[in-house]
Amino acid sequence: MSLLKRLFDAVGGTASHAFANVVETVRTVFAGDPETRRKVAFSVAMIALSAKMAKADGVVSKEEVAAFQDIFAIPDEEAANVARLYNIAKQDVAGYDIYAERIAGLCGSGHSNCAMLEDILDGLFHIAKADSLIHQKELEFIAHVADIFGFDEEHFDRIMARHVHPEGIDPYQVLGVEPHAPFDEVRRRYRKLAADSHPDALLARGVPQEFLAIANDRMAAINAAFATIQKQQRVPA
């Protein structure tokens, strides 16, 4: 039985009325299997918040649909369940803040700035920017979700810098170091971010294999930022 089918069987008919019940059921159904719970929680979070972001923006472009499919390589046996979850979330009258609060409670560490929650924010940015323009309502949506997730302003600005840069990418902000920081400090910061963002690290914290486009996007931004600073400071490669 697929994981989402197992989830639906546990939720029963209440799923048709409140997606929040689906989120809460993840906690109990997979309580004895933390690794599986993280994977299901991440999938449910991306489906629910993507649906709510589409509703908040009011326009779902074909590029955004393609981006959703890009990070959500849906197995054939899960396609109907994913579609069902997406439609329930989109139609549910509950505000997305309720979903975000419950999803934050499912985070493996339970701490602010939990790594899995950053993965979710990256996924939302990945979808929102697919049509080459992040609309103001989409940005407000993601910023509010980040606030509910417990991200401080500095951390959120660093995440946003990887995706939103109308005046050009600021490599120092992407890495979270001060402009003109010594290169040794830049390199230490780069190595830590690269280790935390490696696909193996995402898999270890419960991001499903299908979502590794998120890791690739993040690594590309981090690598580009480091290379830019290296060139600016004229440090040999």
Side-chain angles (χ1 to χ4, degrees):
M1 180 186 296
S2 74
L3 293 177
L4 294 184
K5 177 64 166 58
R6 182 178 166 192
L7 179 62
F8 269 122
D9 285 350
V11 174
T14 60
S16 62
H17 304 293
F19 194 94
N21 291 338
V22 177
V23 178
E24 188 61 30
T25 303
V26 171
R27 183 193 307 276
T28 56
V29 170
F30 303 101
D33 187 351
E35 182 177 353
T36 299
R37 190 184 77 165
R38 285 194 298 270
K39 290 180 180 180
V40 176
F42 185 89
S43 299
V44 168
M46 285 306 310
I47 296 168
L49 293 176
S50 296
K52 283 297 187 181
M53 185 168 68
K55 188 173 182 179
D57 181 46
V59 178
V60 182
S61 70
K62 62 181 181 181
E63 291 85 3
E64 287 174 333
V65 172
F68 180 82
Q69 294 171 338
D70 181 32
I71 65 169
F72 220 123
I74 305 167
D76 291 342
E77 65 273 16
E78 291 284 28
N81 290 321
V82 169
R84 184 181 173 192
L85 280 170
Y86 189 90
N87 288 330
I88 291 170
K90 195 171 181 180
Q91 294 167 13
D92 190 355
V93 296
Y96 66 87
D97 51 339
I98 294 176
Y99 296 177
E101 288 168 3
R102 296 202 177 188
I103 289 164
L106 292 174
C107 183
S109 70
H111 298 145
S112 295
N113 295 349
C114 167
M116 186 186 80
L117 299 180
E118 181 169 350
D119 300 332
I120 292 170
L121 293 178
D122 266 334
L124 292 174
F125 270 118
H126 180 85
I127 294 169
K129 70 181 182 181
D131 54 2
S132 302
L133 176 66
I134 297 182
H135 299 279
Q136 184 62 32
K137 287 185 178 180
E138 291 173 323
L139 186 56
E140 291 172 358
F141 177 96
I142 298 172
H144 189 198
V145 170
D147 186 52
I148 294 170
F149 281 177
F151 284 83
D152 56 58
E153 185 175 353
E154 181 181 351
H155 195 158
F156 178 69
D157 285 346
R158 189 169 74 246
I159 297 170
M160 185 168 63
R162 298 197 290 260
H163 305 279
V164 183
H165 32 76
E167 299 178 2
I169 295 176
D170 181 343
Y172 292 93
Q173 189 170 35
V174 169
L175 296 186
V177 295
E178 292 296 323
H180 310 300
F183 191 73
D184 284 348
E185 179 183 341
V186 173
R187 181 162 42 208
R188 284 195 298 271
R189 180 64 181 164
Y190 164 74
R191 287 175 175 171
K192 183 181 187 309
L193 289 175
D196 291 343
S197 303
H198 191 277
D200 288 347
L202 270 72
L203 288 171
R205 59 180 174 257
V207 177
Q209 181 77 35
E210 299 83 32
F211 288 86
L212 293 189
I214 293 172
N216 294 335
D217 271 4
R218 187 185 302 172
M219 281 301 303
I222 292 170
N223 288 337
F226 180 72
T228 298
I229 295 173
Q230 188 176 40
K231 184 176 180 180
Q232 288 177 349
Q233 297 196 13
R234 298 180 181 180
V235 177

